[in-house]
Amino acid sequence: MRIQSEGHVETVTQLLESIKDVGRDAFRGGYTRPVYSTAELDLRGWFVEQAGRRGLEVETDRNGVIWAWWGQPSDGALVTGSHLDSVPGGGAFDGPLGVASALAAVDLLRARGTAPSRPLAITVFPEEEGSRFGVACLGSRLLTGAIDTNKALNLRDADGNTFADVARANGLDPRYMGPDAEALARIGDFVELHVEQGIGLGTDGPGIAVGSSVLGHGRWKLSIHGQGNHAGTTLMADRADPMVAAAQIIVAVRQAAARQPDARATVGRIVPVPGGTNVIPSRVDLWLDARHPDDRVTAHLVEGIHGRAQRVAAEEGCTVTLTEESYSNTVHFDAGLTGRISGLLPHAPVLATGAGHDAGVLAGFVPSAMLFVRNPSGISHSPEEHVADRDADAGAAALADVLAGLL
């Protein structure tokens, strides 16, 4: 396999161009790359090939995390990376920008003649978005023990496949999945570069920011149970229609979040059962995403939404159950590491983020930090997500500067 020449630097734009057709979604627009789908597997193969071209030693751990090593794998390494999976109809940069930037940063370090004084690894974490199995950052949660292993293995996708079965079909042994102290010990410092998913960097000035914190956030499933029946023969007065209750609950979610400063609450997915046009549903499932800087406020917000949902459901002759699927507390990145990075990037502002990341999970276990690259539209999880070529290149250069300073 050809090793990248010492002076050759492949730009982030060139790297992303090489995967631009992988996982395109003709229906939603953008990209749909759920974990262990054909598209995500193709991207994993692309990363392994790119790492091999650079002479990096590649391994996949027991939780499906890919590691590409510059230097002998050992404890206390400097690690960077991100993810390659996407939300349904997502943008081109959420995840892959961080992976491509890490590869480009290795090229830049080599072109500068940098020789690492400790090992450097690039990682690719699986199921960061949680778009297939419903729990975000599943790979990093398994690695760190931030999720119960049995719970993770029994998660099911929309087709009823368990995570254990899908993992097994992709070469992993579920018996050995879960907390991996040996792998975690290899991370001395973790730095994740990511597209900014808001508009904090604006359209002028520095295109790179240093992350300060990740907003506390969680996912809950609300199941509204009613009476399935015939749409033509059931009089309106005789119905216990969970879809009507679901519609009112969705409006109540927005109202509850709007009343609480700094809160965000969203229903982005709703599934009626059985889902026929001429059928009154017997059940409607909807998923709530709620976030706030204060974890106590988030809990209070969700409690209030649940109470309102119960009242609305009862008025329609239905019942409702609430199940927490995942929750991550508000995370503040390691002050020492963040301070060192800010010293290496003196013109980069410091920004908090409302989006979850693997770095946020790892922060509870190892010193972690983030870099954000400008997204001039402020739109993410959408085909309209964008990073200009010059900002992508600046991001890779900034990451190289940070890695060099930390090495």
Side-chain angles (χ1 to χ4, degrees):
M1 188 169 289
R2 180 171 68 87
I3 296 178
Q4 199 89 310
S5 64
E6 292 293 314
H8 180 78
V9 177
E10 198 160 3
T11 68
V12 176
T13 300
Q14 289 170 329
L15 286 163
L16 293 178
E17 178 73 13
S18 68
I19 59 172
K20 68 177 183 179
D21 295 322
V22 180
R24 281 196 180 273
D25 192 321
F27 174 70
R28 301 180 181 92
Y31 296 89
T32 297
R33 298 160 167 169
V35 70
Y36 297 131
S37 64
T38 298
E40 199 255 2
L41 290 171
D42 286 349
L43 292 183
R44 289 166 72 91
W46 164 83
F47 173 73
V48 170
E49 190 271 336
Q50 289 290 335
R53 285 178 55 190
R54 289 160 174 81
L56 307 182
E57 180 183 334
V58 179
E59 61 179 354
T60 301
D61 70 20
R62 66 195 195 198
N63 290 306
V65 181
I66 305 176
W67 302 72
W69 290 91
W70 183 5
Q72 185 67 29
S74 65
D75 291 356
L78 177 58
V79 182
T80 186
S82 194
H83 63 98
L84 292 169
D85 64 304
S86 79
V87 297
F93 301 93
D94 183 354
L97 179 70
V99 176
S101 296
L103 291 166
V106 167
D107 291 346
L108 287 166
L109 290 173
R110 283 195 166 133
R112 297 173 184 176
T114 299
S117 58
R118 61 169 166 155
L120 171 69
I122 303 174
T123 52
V124 174
F125 287 96
E127 185 68 329
E128 192 270 355
E129 297 291 2
S131 63
R132 182 167 184 178
F133 291 99
V135 175
C137 302
L138 187 56
S140 55
R141 288 179 190 271
L142 280 166
L143 169 68
T144 59
I147 186 172
D148 177 77
T149 305
N150 288 329
K151 175 183 176 179
L153 294 176
N154 286 290
L155 294 170
R156 293 183 180 272
D157 65 13
D159 296 322
N161 303 302
T162 68
F163 180 64
D165 288 340
V166 172
R168 186 182 295 108
N170 286 278
L172 301 176
D173 190 334
R175 294 176 300 174
Y176 302 111
M177 299 180 78
D180 190 341
E182 182 179 343
L184 191 59
R186 292 179 172 183
I187 306 175
D189 298 293
F190 182 76
V191 181
E192 179 175 4
L193 179 144
H194 204 279
V195 59
E196 192 201 352
Q197 295 177 282
I199 200 165
L201 281 166
T203 56
D204 299 310
I208 312 299
V210 179
S212 62
S213 60
V214 175
L215 198 66
H217 58 284
R219 299 181 184 187
W220 291 262
K221 180 181 179 181
L222 286 156
S223 292
I224 305 113
H225 300 262
Q227 177 59 61
N229 216 328
H230 195 292
T233 61
T234 310
L235 299 178
M236 303 306 289
D238 296 335
R239 300 185 177 203
D241 189 342
M243 186 65 83
V244 174
Q248 297 177 68
I249 291 168
I250 292 169
V251 173
V253 166
R254 180 182 177 88
Q255 292 171 340
R259 288 193 297 268
Q260 177 62 58
D262 297 325
R264 302 102 194 257
T266 307
V267 174
R269 180 181 170 205
I270 179 169
V271 177
V273 178
T277 303
N278 59 345
V279 181
I280 300 167
S282 59
R283 187 181 87 243
V284 174
D285 295 330
L286 58 85
W287 282 263
L288 167 69
D289 179 301
R291 309 179 187 225
H292 190 275
D294 187 328
D295 299 317
R296 294 169 299 179
V297 174
T298 305
H300 180 72
L301 175 66
V302 173
E303 182 182 354
I305 289 170
H306 185 206
R308 175 62 176 154
Q310 289 176 311
R311 292 190 292 274
V312 166
E315 290 169 2
E316 295 296 331
C318 300
T319 60
V320 63
T321 58
L322 176 74
T323 305
E324 180 182 301
E325 293 197 334
S326 66
Y327 188 76
S328 297
N329 295 328
T330 292
V331 170
H332 296 276
F333 291 119
D334 184 84
L337 180 58
T338 299
R340 291 174 66 192
I341 291 173
S342 291
L344 294 165
L345 304 175
H347 300 295
V350 177
L351 290 180
T353 180
H357 301 282
D358 289 308
V361 174
L362 293 172
F365 303 87
V366 297
S368 301
M370 291 196 72
L371 300 179
F372 296 114
V373 178
R374 178 177 17 237
N375 175 0
S377 68
I379 296 172
S380 188
H381 283 185
S382 163
E384 297 169 71
E385 179 182 86
H386 181 66
V387 173
D389 292 353
R390 66 180 181 277
D391 287 333
D393 291 339
L399 180 60
D401 291 343
V402 168
L403 297 178
L406 297 176
L407 287 170

